[in-house]
Amino acid sequence: NSMDNTYPNSNGRHVAVSISSFLFFALSMSVPSGYSYGSGLLLLISLAFLAKRPTLTLSRTDKILIYILVALFVVSFFAMLIHGDKPKTIDQTSRCLVAIPILLLILKVPPRLCFVWSGLAIGSIASAGIALWQLYWLGAERPSGFVTSAIPFGGLSLMMGMLCFVGIAWANTQRRHVWLW
C-alpha cells in the first residue's frame, strides 16, 4: 500500500513526492544543476513532513543506512579538521545528511513508480542527446553534460540507462500503455 492514510493531504503529498522524484531523474544530467530541483523539492517536502512529527517505523536496514550516511559525514568532517582543509571540502558528504530526511519521507510516502521510471527514461534520453550535442555540435572531445567532468557524466548516464533496462521488467507488468513503456 503506497498511500499514507494516517496523514491529512496524503494524496497531495504523494503527488508532490512523485513529481519531485520525476524531476530529479529527468533533469539531473540534462540541465545545469538539474539534480538540485527535484532533490530540493524533496528536501522541502520532507522537512514539512517531519515537522508534523509523524510516527516512523524504521527497519534495521533503514537504521543501518542512516548510520552509514551520518558516519560518512562525520569521517569527512574530522578529516577536514585534521588536515586543516577548507569547509567546502565537506560539501559532497554534507549531502549524506540532507539525504536522511528525504529517505525518511520516501519510506513513509513512496513516489509512484511510473513517475520514477518515466523520469529515468526521459533523463537517459536527454543525457544521450546532450552527449551527442556536445560531441558533434560543439566538438567536445569528451562530453561532460552539465556536471563536473566527463567521468561522472558518463558513469551516471550509463547507470540511468542500465536502470531503464531493468525497468523493462516493471513496464511489462503494466496493464495500461504497456506498449508505450
Side-chain angles (χ1 to χ4, degrees), residues 55-126:
T55 304
L56 299 172
T57 306
L58 299 176
S59 70
R60 182 174 184 269
T61 305
D62 298 335
K63 291 175 186 175
I64 289 171
L65 179 57
I66 291 170
Y67 295 144
I68 289 170
L69 291 170
V70 171
L72 283 168
F73 174 77
V74 169
V75 167
S76 174
F77 181 78
F78 281 113
M80 176 201 68
L81 292 177
I82 291 168
H83 295 289
D85 294 335
K86 294 180 181 177
K88 72 177 187 175
T89 60
I90 59 170
D91 173 53
Q92 294 292 321
T93 54
S94 68
R95 297 171 194 195
C96 293
L97 294 180
V98 172
I100 294 170
I102 295 172
L103 173 66
L104 295 173
L105 170 70
I106 289 177
L107 287 171
K108 192 74 172 182
V109 187
R112 290 187 55 206
L113 288 177
C114 63
F115 282 80
V116 173
W117 290 118
S118 59
L120 278 164
I122 290 170
S124 296
I125 293 166

Side-chain angles (χ1 to χ4, degrees), residues 114 167-181:
C114 63
I168 292 172
W170 171 83
N172 284 328
T173 67
Q174 301 308 297
R175 292 189 183 127
R176 290 184 57 201
H177 308 297
V178 69
W179 61 272
L180 181 62
W181 286 108

